[in-house]
Structures are given as C-alpha cells and as structure tokens.
Amino acid sequence: MSIELVATNADLYGEVTPAGAFYATSSPEQEGNRAILLYILREGHRAPFSIKAAQRWTQAANAEEALRSIFRLQRLGLLRGTAHPRQQEDKRLEDALPPLLARLSDAQKTLLADENGFYLAAAGYTHEAAEELAGLSADLLSLQTRHGRLLKNNLRINTETWGLLDPAGRSELGFWPLFIGQQRFMLVIGGTPRLQDQSFVTLIQDLDKRYF
C-alpha cells in the first residue's frame, strides 16, 4: 500500500516505485530527480524517513526545500512510503537475474544484454536466440547514439525505447535501455512488458549494487 512519506508521522521507509526506478535509469543524465531516486533506491530501506534523510537524499540547502522535493516525487508516483521495507536478498547476480527477468514479461521471455552485445542472463530464450538478440541490442544502442539528437531535439521524442509492434500497436518485442552508473544495458522483453512489477525495482537495485 502506498503511504505519504511527508504527510504522516508514522515510521515509514522511502521506497522507489517501479515507475521511479524506470525514470531513474532511462537516461544517461542521472542528475536532479533521477539522482534523488537512485539515492533512495540505495538507502531508503536502511532507516525510517526523517528530515535529515530527506536533506541527504536531495542534497537540499534546507529542510523545506528537501521536503518539497520528496513531496513532488510522491505526487508524480515515483516514490512512496512503506512500513515494511523490502530486504535485499543475498544472492549472486547470476542466480538472481533469471527469475526476475521472467516476471517482467507476460510471456516470461526476457533477457538483459550489455552495450557490447553480450547477454548477462535470459529467461524463455534459447542460448542461440539470446546471443542474436544481444547483438541486435548493441546495434540499437549504437543507432540511438547516432540519431538521438534528431529524435530528442527535433522530434521531441524523449524515450529511447525501441519496439516491434503488431498491427494493433501491441508490443511483440521491446528493447528498453537502462543506464546504471557508467554502464548501458538493454532489457529485451518478448510480449507485453510488466515493468510495473516490483521485480523491476529489485532488478535495478541488483544491477546498481554491482555496477554503480
């Protein structure tokens, strides 16, 4: 259940929502609100919310400015309060990734590739298919780099996601770039994506822990 962090006196922990995790990692420009969300992603579960925590997360000059930033993120649905913080599992990344990836597709077909065209883990794809899709992912990242200025500045398209759609506009195969620290990854999802699942937040936390 989503609870207001700023509007309650209860002992609550800051928790980034799936929408917040996507926003924080969907661009290489990890400043401003993105930086705040990444800070909370790493630290929100460690201690209950406080004004001091808000100032540390936001790097704001005073308490009023810090609380205003937190309140804005709540209103945008990027951040929420929880009475029971999720504990991070102590698993090797290689073991944790496949079940997380499977939950991000209605067809349980997902893979994660790096910018060099190698896949880190896959669910629902054969090794051969995963290798080919990872290579395609690297090509799309390169394509985005070459034509990003046209898409963003001229056409005002702010997403870097690519997709293969059926005639009704439903995704058959989607490519979702993720930016973790200095690393670029591509999340490849077959069928309808389920990025609103809490597993997506866990995925971002696990990647951030390894690559930030």
Side-chain angles (χ1 to χ4, degrees), residues 21 38 47 68 71 101 123 141 164 183 190:
L38 288 170
R68 189 163 51 243
F71 185 74
L101 294 175
L141 287 171
L164 301 176
Q183 303 287 329

Side-chain angles (χ1 to χ4, degrees), residues 70-102:
I70 296 299
F71 185 74
R72 182 173 61 250
L73 292 174
Q74 288 183 134
R75 286 299 186 217
L76 291 171
L78 306 179
L79 173 66
R80 62 191 172 205
T82 178
H84 305 287
R86 292 181 302 106
Q87 299 300 318
Q88 297 185 7
E89 296 184 8
D90 188 19
K91 282 186 178 181
R92 294 193 318 141
L93 184 63
E94 293 75 10
D95 297 329
L97 282 179
L100 286 175
L101 294 175

Side-chain angles (χ1 to χ4, degrees), residues 127-183:
H127 171 70
E128 292 75 14
E131 283 192 327
E132 294 292 336
L133 287 172
L136 177 56
S137 296
D139 290 342
L140 288 175
L141 287 171
S142 177
L143 186 67
Q144 178 70 37
T145 299
R146 293 199 306 272
H147 300 288
R149 183 174 298 180
L150 164 69
L151 296 172
K152 186 174 183 179
N153 296 342
N154 293 8
L155 301 179
R156 300 288 188 258
I157 298 175
N158 291 317
T159 181
E160 299 194 14
T161 301
W162 296 82
L164 301 176
L165 311 179
D166 69 14
R170 293 183 294 264
S171 176
E172 294 193 5
L173 188 64
F175 297 81
W176 309 76
L178 301 174
F179 299 86
I180 308 290
Q182 300 300 313
Q183 303 287 329

Side-chain angles (χ1 to χ4, degrees), residues 111-121 133-135 137-139 141 183-187 211:
L111 72 86
L112 182 71
D114 65 17
E115 60 186 318
N116 298 312
F118 298 101
Y119 77 94
L120 283 70
L133 287 172
S137 296
D139 290 342
L141 287 171
Q183 303 287 329
R184 291 194 304 173
F185 300 93
M186 188 72 92
L187 190 63
Y211 294 101

